[in-house]
Amino acid sequence: MSTRKPAAVPSVEEVDTSYLESLIGYNARRAALSVIEVFLDRMAVYGLRPVDFSVLSLITHNPGITSRQLCTTLGMLPPNLVGMINNFEKRDLVMRKPHPRDGRAMGLHLTAAGHKLMRDAERTAAELERDVGARLSAAENKTLIRLLQKIYLHRTETA
Amino acid sequence: MSTRKPAAVPSVEEVDTSYLESLIGYNARRAALSVIEVFLDRMAVYGLRPVDFSVLSLITHNPGITSRQLCTTLGMLPPNLVGMINNFEKRDLVMRKPHPRDGRAMGLHLTAAGHKLMRDAERTAAELERDVGARLSAAENKTLIRLLQKIYLHRTETA
DNA sequence: TATTGTTATACTCTATAACTATA
DNA sequence: TATAGTTATAGAGTATAACAATA
């Protein structure tokens, strides 16, 4: 049944992925997962997942940022941020302070320990960026980031 | 720091995301999520999530592909594929046939209904690709896919 | 002994509803 | 009335261990 004539039940020797590889979404997702895999590995020593790093990095560069601003920026939902911030407080990385002009809100700030951790973590991130980026030339790197931003920073006219 | 004297408790008017936006992983993830958002919306009429589309597309272009091959190609775990295939069988989109040369394996094949659905779904995917790609020029589009593949198709020398 | 497919299950991530206090 | 933060909880997605059938 599989020797001479076209097999009624074919099998696959090598998987043809050419169609999927022609789709932007598929490629972007695969690339993101590839980088995140390395990220998970190297940030493990700091006890930080990618989302932890993103949140702490935003607090680092935006002292006093509120939970609401973090959620809007990172596309997270408020209930899912609460536990993260609580953990950061338990680890003495982040402090909640009353917002100077809005009694409902809490401003988020790094502690001294938080600053120290993020100095190391951002250095590691820079090394990772250099290693991953080494798969591309410097110009390609710049181009890639520019094109990716054109994809997701498009101002939606329809919605 | 903002108006006159350095505020003891600063607040944030506009969130500075410049640091995160310099990282490849962050940009790739944001771009992927942006495309997937549109994908979810347009594929809803077919009852297909991105991963469903990927699996059915691989079966379409690789009739007789096994679960093992699907998992390896898409980075999924076998237990998580079983339920998907069961659903596809219930919806009369996919059939399991005994593998011609390996009694342990099952080859996966589209039914007639599956072929019809995927013709429509791949047409929709092509339209989506055209619309998302319209944010970029044709040349940029080609470049973007090439660079993304250089990121995730790198042959790892270390591991 | 190793591999394919499967079951059961645990764990994480994401999403929804509702409450409080402040605006 | 609307918003920021929170709680509790449901649902989806992802992970590990173990088993039967076959290689």
Side-chain angles (χ1 to χ4, degrees):
Chain A
M1 191 174 279
S2 62
T3 53
R4 245 157 270 198
K5 58 183 175 182
V9 179
S11 64
V12 174
E13 298 305 319
E14 192 152 351
V15 178
D16 175 10
T17 58
S18 57
Y19 174 75
L20 285 180
E21 281 172 8
S22 74
L23 303 176
I24 292 180
Y26 177 82
N27 285 289
R29 180 169 170 276
R30 289 291 303 265
L33 290 177
S34 167
V35 178
I36 288 171
E37 186 183 3
V38 184
F39 198 101
L40 279 169
D41 191 48
R42 302 217 194 160
M43 288 292 169
V45 289
Y46 306 113
L48 298 181
R49 302 159 303 164
V51 63
D52 296 321
F53 179 83
S54 296
V55 167
L56 288 178
S57 180
L58 282 176
I59 300 176
T60 303
H61 300 282
N62 299 271
I65 191 172
T66 67
S67 295
R68 178 76 171 72
Q69 290 174 309
L70 275 176
C71 287
T72 302
T73 304
L74 293 176
M76 300 179 62
L77 292 170
N80 301 327
L81 188 62
V82 177
M84 272 184 61
I85 304 295
N86 285 341
N87 278 329
F88 290 151
E89 280 198 328
K90 273 181 208 145
R91 293 173 63 185
D92 189 36
L93 299 174
V94 165
M95 289 187 309
R96 278 184 250 238
K97 295 183 186 175
H99 191 280
R101 289 187 313 285
D102 189 335
R104 299 168 302 182
M106 300 294 287
L108 300 172
H109 303 261
L110 291 190
T111 63
H115 277 294
K116 168 155 180 19
L117 184 82
M118 283 308 286
R119 264 196 301 277
D120 295 341
E122 288 197 346
R123 189 180 310 124
T124 299
E127 289 166 11
L128 184 157
E129 199 67 10
R130 198 196 52 211
D131 295 348
V132 170
R135 302 170 191 172
L136 276 54
S137 75
E140 284 178 330
N141 236 300
K142 207 172 157 189
T143 300
L144 175 57
I145 287 182
R146 183 175 61 81
L147 296 181
L148 287 173
Q149 289 178 354
K150 277 183 87 167
I151 292 286
Y152 74 83
L153 287 179
H154 72 116
R155 290 287 147 251
T156 316
E157 309 85 12
T158 53
Chain B
M1 191 175 279
S2 52
T3 54
R4 249 158 266 194
K5 58 182 176 181
V9 180
S11 64
V12 174
E13 298 305 319
E14 192 153 352
V15 178
D16 175 9
T17 57
S18 56
Y19 175 75
L20 285 180
E21 281 172 8
S22 73
L23 302 177
I24 290 179
Y26 177 82
N27 285 289
R29 179 169 172 276
R30 288 291 302 265
L33 290 177
S34 169
V35 178
I36 287 171
E37 188 182 1
V38 185
F39 198 101
L40 280 168
D41 192 46
R42 302 214 194 163
M43 288 292 169
V45 289
Y46 306 112
L48 297 181
R49 302 160 301 163
V51 63
D52 296 322
F53 179 84
S54 295
V55 167
L56 288 178
S57 181
L58 282 177
I59 299 176
T60 303
H61 300 284
N62 299 271
I65 191 173
T66 66
S67 296
R68 178 74 170 73
Q69 289 174 310
L70 275 176
C71 288
T72 303
T73 305
L74 294 175
M76 300 179 61
L77 293 170
N80 301 327
L81 187 63
V82 176
M84 273 184 61
I85 304 295
N86 286 340
N87 277 330
F88 289 150
E89 280 198 329
K90 273 181 206 147
R91 292 172 65 184
D92 189 35
L93 298 175
V94 164
M95 290 187 308
R96 277 183 251 236
K97 295 182 186 174
H99 191 281
R101 288 187 313 284
D102 189 334
R104 298 167 300 181
M106 300 294 287
L108 300 172
H109 303 262
L110 291 191
T111 63
H115 277 294
K116 170 156 179 20
L117 184 84
M118 283 309 285
R119 264 195 301 276
D120 295 342
E122 288 196 346
R123 189 180 309 124
T124 299
E127 289 166 12
L128 184 156
E129 199 67 10
R130 199 196 51 210
D131 295 348
V132 170
R135 303 169 191 171
L136 276 53
S137 75
E140 284 177 332
N141 236 301
K142 206 173 157 190
T143 301
L144 175 56
I145 287 182
R146 183 176 60 81
L147 295 181
L148 287 173
Q149 289 178 355
K150 278 183 86 165
I151 293 286
Y152 75 82
L153 287 179
H154 72 115
R155 293 285 148 253
T156 316
E157 310 85 13
T158 52

